[in-house]
Amino acid sequence: MDKQLIRAYLWQAVIRLGFCPGSAKDQQGWLFQYGQSIKDFWETSYPKPPRLENGRITAVIDCTDILHLSMIYQVDSAYKFNVRFQYPFTLNNKQLIWIHDVDGKFFCFPSQLFLIRDGLEKVALKKFEIDDVEAVIDGLLLHPKAHQHIESPINDHDIRIGGGLDNPFLFLFHLRYQFCPISVKKQKEKERLTILFSDALRINRPIAANRLMAQP
């Protein structure tokens, strides 16, 4: 089986197994675990827990002590969300706010539909090797092919904000890695995620949020 095709199936499977909490309760629980995990991973204070407002889950994550910004997310569903990056400094009496916005009602190439119809996922999940998992983890979380850098006021080229991530839980987890200020932890996290997802892929079973958010 072609290696690129194997990685295409792994790509979809990693999202399905790690970043698709089903019910509204599961989504709230996932996001609560997400916030709690940030304290130790970033070695910062606990963010305020997420809250439910008008049918959407929202939270503020203050990153000012490490990145001079705040991150505010609003998750309406698995197909509609936004993350606001807000800087405390002003320019001409206006605050800089940048929003990553995803609206699932608009058409996007349905790659997952074609992969499901092929029916070869089971074959791919038997034939993958560790380097395939590493490549997928890199592409989804650690170093997305399409990404943005912040040059000012944060000049850190190792922060790569993926622009094509349309799953809210995947995007937030990606930011958890990108905004970690401790390089040793980021390297250990890469190793941990590779093993964690390799095991999950072999048994084709979702990863519980507390295991996904465990410390490296």
Side-chain angles (χ1 to χ4, degrees):
M1 190 174 188
D2 181 78
K3 209 167 184 63
Q4 290 292 90
L5 188 56
I6 289 174
R7 292 180 180 183
Y9 282 105
L10 293 189
W11 185 280
Q12 298 296 338
V14 165
I15 296 173
R16 173 173 56 83
L17 298 176
F19 307 102
C20 290
S23 68
K25 183 178 179 181
D26 289 340
Q27 292 176 2
Q28 284 184 275
W30 195 100
L31 291 168
F32 177 81
Q33 294 273 2
Y34 174 78
Q36 294 293 295
S37 75
I38 283 175
K39 176 185 179 296
D40 291 331
F41 191 50
W42 292 359
E43 296 186 5
T44 186
S45 57
Y46 276 121
K48 293 181 180 179
R51 60 191 185 276
L52 191 62
E53 291 183 354
N54 300 320
R56 65 163 60 104
I57 307 169
T58 183
V60 178
I61 298 177
D62 187 352
C63 314
T64 52
D65 55 341
I66 56 175
L67 291 174
H68 311 294
L69 63 84
S70 294
M71 184 172 76
I72 304 104
Y73 67 77
Q74 295 180 341
V75 178
D76 291 73
S77 70
Y79 309 101
K80 182 175 176 57
F81 75 98
N82 66 70
V83 179
R84 300 161 64 93
F85 303 94
Q86 185 169 310
Y87 292 88
F89 73 91
T90 59
L91 180 64
N92 296 328
N93 296 318
K94 293 183 179 180
Q95 192 173 49
L96 176 62
I97 300 175
W98 171 39
I99 303 175
H100 177 91
D101 196 6
V102 173
D103 191 341
K105 71 181 180 182
F106 294 97
F107 179 78
C108 183
F109 181 75
S111 56
Q112 186 173 8
L113 178 63
F114 287 95
L115 290 172
I116 290 171
R117 285 182 175 176
D118 283 346
L120 295 175
E121 183 183 70
K122 290 183 179 179
V123 178
L125 295 183
K126 290 180 180 179
K127 291 185 173 293
F128 75 85
E129 298 177 349
I130 196 70
D131 66 308
D132 298 315
V133 181
E134 289 175 344
V136 169
I137 294 298
D138 271 342
L140 279 173
L141 299 167
L142 313 186
H143 199 149
K145 181 177 181 179
H147 59 264
Q148 295 88 43
H149 293 286
I150 304 171
E151 290 192 355
S152 178
I154 307 160
N155 188 12
D156 185 346
H157 200 75
D158 287 333
I159 296 176
R160 303 173 179 94
I161 302 177
L165 305 179
D166 60 3
N167 175 303
F169 309 99
L170 175 66
F171 185 66
L172 288 169
F173 193 84
H174 155 74
L175 295 178
R176 175 183 178 271
Y177 174 86
Q178 295 298 330
F179 289 167
C180 178
I182 307 161
S183 58
V184 173
K185 280 195 171 185
K186 292 177 78 171
Q187 178 58 39
K188 289 182 179 179
E189 179 73 344
K190 178 178 180 177
E191 296 167 2
R192 183 185 77 88
L193 292 174
T194 300
I195 295 170
L196 183 66
F197 276 100
S198 293
D199 292 343
L201 289 163
R202 288 191 181 95
I203 61 175
N204 197 17
R205 187 172 298 170
I207 300 170
N210 61 338
R211 291 188 62 219
L212 182 65
M213 309 295 176
Q215 298 305 307

